[in-house]
Amino acid sequence: MPEGDTVAQAAGRLHAALAGRLLVRSDLRVPRLATSDLRGRAVLDVTPRGKHLLTRLEGGLTLHSHLRMDGAWWIFAPGERWRGGPGHQIRAVLGTEDRVAVGFRLPVLELLRTADEPRVVGHLGPDLLGPDWDPKEALRRLLADPARPLGAALLDQRNLAGVGNVFMAELCFLARVTPRLPVGELPAPERLIATAKRLLEANRAGPGRTTTTPQARARTGQRLYVYGRTGRSCLVCGTPVRTAGETYGEPGRDRPVYWCPRCQRGPAPGGSG
């Protein structure tokens, strides 16, 4: 599930493969971009912004993509068999003389002027992995609506950019509160902001997402405390981890929420007690 750390990894791979090279292949497989041809343009850089990817091209153009739940960019050598999904899921192909980048299942793909990037990412809060990171501003935004559930506030990219459902669940566990706790009741919110920064930084270069301590991993073999561990024992107290669905202001889009009913205080998600 792409979050700020995996998007930063994807940007790094794309940048290493494409930056400083001319495009000799361009195939954008969405109707509004079907006639766009980027061949002959050099790729200047690939920059992550929260969960967004900005591929900047000479001539003042940016190819903006978003991975959402299961999108991905894969890098191949010329002639190598493409993996990552069936052909009908391919949305973009960018090729140089020695590399081909293929975007699968990209729900957002658009070409815009680089000067217009604020139109698509200007609403985002401080980026946990970006040069604009400002913990005081992130804290101010997070606490702006004290009655809002903490889980919803963390997932709102306008507050701090880069946290998705996995990190939201793990951050709530580490703060020992449920995602339903009103954010204004969160003890030591500055510590949670610092923990979010530390976790994303620690995971931006690793192959597997990890939030547990080395001691916990050595003892249990688990890389996450609660996410995806429904019914399994909490790594701290042994209580079965619970799950519920939450929409967080997006009707029809339930997100699975995980928590330990003993270690985490606050209202139970899903209205389950």
Side-chain angles (χ1 to χ4, degrees), residues 160-183:
L160 58 165
V163 173
N165 216 38
V166 179
F167 281 121
M168 181 273 286
E170 296 295 293
L171 285 167
C172 289
F173 178 81
L174 291 168
R176 297 296 187 261
V177 298
T178 72
R180 268 283 183 177
L181 185 83
V183 69

Side-chain angles (χ1 to χ4, degrees), residues 140-205:
R140 184 192 70 79
R141 293 183 181 219
L142 189 72
L143 300 179
D145 182 357
R148 194 177 193 188
L150 174 59
L154 285 171
L155 290 173
D156 190 338
Q157 302 299 294
R158 296 170 298 181
N159 293 334
L160 58 165
V163 173
N165 216 38
V166 179
F167 281 121
M168 181 273 286
E170 296 295 293
L171 285 167
C172 289
F173 178 81
L174 291 168
R176 297 296 187 261
V177 298
T178 72
R180 268 283 183 177
L181 185 83
V183 69
E185 298 179 21
L186 175 67
E190 300 89 349
R191 188 188 310 159
L192 181 137
I193 293 283
T195 301
K197 173 70 169 174
R198 175 178 59 80
L199 288 182
L200 267 77
E201 287 280 7
N203 282 278
R204 70 183 305 170

Side-chain angles (χ1 to χ4, degrees), residues 54-111:
L54 303 171
T55 301
R56 296 176 178 134
L57 308 159
E58 69 175 349
L61 292 179
T62 293
L63 184 66
H64 167 230
S65 60
H66 196 299
L67 305 182
R68 291 272 170 87
M69 295 295 289
D70 63 349
W73 281 94
W74 287 67
I75 309 296
F76 304 100
E80 184 180 358
R81 181 177 175 273
W82 294 353
R83 308 172 306 281
H88 71 268
Q89 293 183 348
I90 295 173
R91 296 294 177 266
V93 181
L94 300 175
T96 68
E97 291 288 354
D98 56 1
R99 290 288 186 274
V100 181
V102 183
F104 291 87
R105 300 173 300 278
L106 302 175
V108 175
L109 188 69
E110 60 180 327
L111 194 61

